[in-house]
Amino acid sequence: MGQEPKIEEAVEPKIEGKARAAELKKKAGEKRRGALGSQQKRLKGREGERDMEESYSMVVKVALLLVSTLAFFSVVSCIDDKCAACNAVAEELERGLSNEKPRNHLDMRHRLDSKGQRRGKVIDYRVSELRVVELLDGLCEKMQDYTLNEVEPTRRDWIKVANWDNITNKQEARAYSKDISTYCGRLLEETEDELAELIKKGSVKVGDVSKVLCQDLTKHCSRTSGSYEGYDDQDDESDAEL
């Protein structure tokens, strides 16, 4: 009977220790949950900022795509008048013909026979493949010096630019020049073989290039429409340079 108080004294500290441990564990859990909640809020904040940045980036990309598309269709529309574009290419080719200088015949006798004599042909430069190459090679690069000039509110002509510093809207003008250069490339792809043969035959002469290229070969200009006739009437205007 005398030992019962000792048992009660031994049990009470154990109960008190368990309660304190449970309380500390609870506080630790609350602290962890609080820290986790703060971390989640920060993550959500960062995700929100990232979403806003991605949305802004998407808006910018769409806007740039729209501007590029509008610019593309604006430039493409200027080649809707294929007759005028073809006449501009013909004009540059005619410049090349006009600037030709007399050339000697091409001596192709490079091979020696068994007797040591030179064998081969002497070819007239005017009917040679070399002349064709010199006239057509680089033609489309030269078309990058051309752009559209507004003559009237409803009419624009292709002109050769002598000084790009005189152009007000250089970006637009350069876009047109690249476009007609591309058009020239497609034009030569379609007509180069036939055009080369006509050049070698002497059928492509100064004053006749537009008819051969734009009427006979490509049909981009009608024989009866006002497009080609109008070009003839406007030779002085089309030769103008800025």
Side-chain angles (χ1 to χ4, degrees):
M1 294 294 292
Q3 295 180 354
E4 289 181 0
K6 292 182 180 180
I7 295 174
E8 291 177 358
E9 290 177 0
V11 171
E12 286 179 358
K14 290 182 179 180
I15 295 174
E16 185 178 352
K18 288 182 179 180
R20 187 178 295 109
E23 185 178 356
L24 292 174
K25 185 176 181 181
K26 181 180 179 182
K27 289 182 179 180
E30 291 176 351
K31 187 175 182 180
R32 284 196 300 271
R33 285 194 293 272
L36 182 60
S38 299
Q39 185 177 5
Q40 289 177 343
K41 288 181 180 179
R42 287 196 298 271
L43 290 174
K44 288 182 179 179
R46 291 175 183 174
E47 289 177 357
E49 292 176 358
R50 191 180 300 112
D51 290 341
M52 289 181 63
E53 290 177 357
E54 290 178 354
S55 299
Y56 177 76
S57 177
M58 182 62 68
V59 170
V60 171
K61 288 179 180 178
V62 171
L64 290 175
L65 179 61
L66 181 60
V67 170
S68 300
T69 303
L70 291 175
F72 171 78
F73 282 110
S74 175
V75 172
V76 169
S77 64
C78 73
I79 297 297
D80 284 345
D81 188 354
K82 292 184 179 180
C83 179
C86 183
N87 282 328
V89 176
E91 177 185 336
E92 185 59 35
L93 177 56
E94 192 157 306
R95 287 174 188 268
L97 289 170
S98 300
N99 293 331
E100 279 189 312
K101 297 179 180 179
R103 296 280 294 271
N104 295 329
H105 293 339
L106 303 178
D107 190 349
M108 307 302 292
R109 297 173 298 176
H110 304 310
R111 185 166 52 88
L112 298 178
D113 60 14
S114 58
K115 297 180 180 180
Q117 295 181 341
R118 297 171 64 188
R119 302 295 299 272
K121 296 180 180 180
V122 176
I123 302 175
D124 188 340
Y125 173 77
R126 291 174 298 177
V127 299
S128 67
E129 190 70 28
L130 177 61
R131 183 185 180 220
V132 174
V133 171
E134 290 181 342
L135 284 172
L136 300 184
D137 190 34
L139 175 63
C140 295
E141 292 181 8
K142 294 176 182 176
M143 295 310 299
Q144 293 185 15
D145 291 333
Y146 283 74
T147 191
L148 275 179
N149 180 48
E150 184 174 324
V151 180
E152 297 175 356
T154 58
R155 197 186 101 227
R156 293 182 294 180
D157 290 339
W158 290 101
I159 60 169
K160 187 166 186 175
V161 180
N163 187 353
W164 286 94
D165 291 334
N166 294 334
I167 302 296
T168 304
N169 191 339
K170 291 185 178 63
Q171 184 176 3
E172 183 182 44
R174 287 293 188 184
Y176 290 141
S177 69
K178 290 179 181 179
D179 199 53
I180 195 170
S181 178
T182 301
Y183 166 82
C184 173
R186 294 196 302 267
L187 186 70
L188 290 187
E189 284 181 6
E190 297 173 0
T191 64
E192 188 168 9
D193 292 340
E194 294 172 282
L195 182 60
E197 289 302 316
L198 291 174
I199 290 174
K200 287 189 285 187
K201 289 179 180 178
S203 301
V204 182
K205 302 176 182 178
V206 174
D208 203 32
V209 180
S210 290
K211 177 182 178 299
V212 172
L213 182 61
C214 304
Q215 288 188 18
D216 300 339
L217 294 181
T218 65
K219 306 296 190 294
H220 285 180
C221 296
S222 171
R223 296 176 185 275
T224 57
S225 69
S227 297
Y228 183 77
E229 295 172 1
Y231 176 77
D232 286 338
D233 295 336
Q234 298 165 6
D235 277 344
D236 293 338
E237 293 182 6
S238 64
D239 288 338
E241 296 184 356
L242 289 181

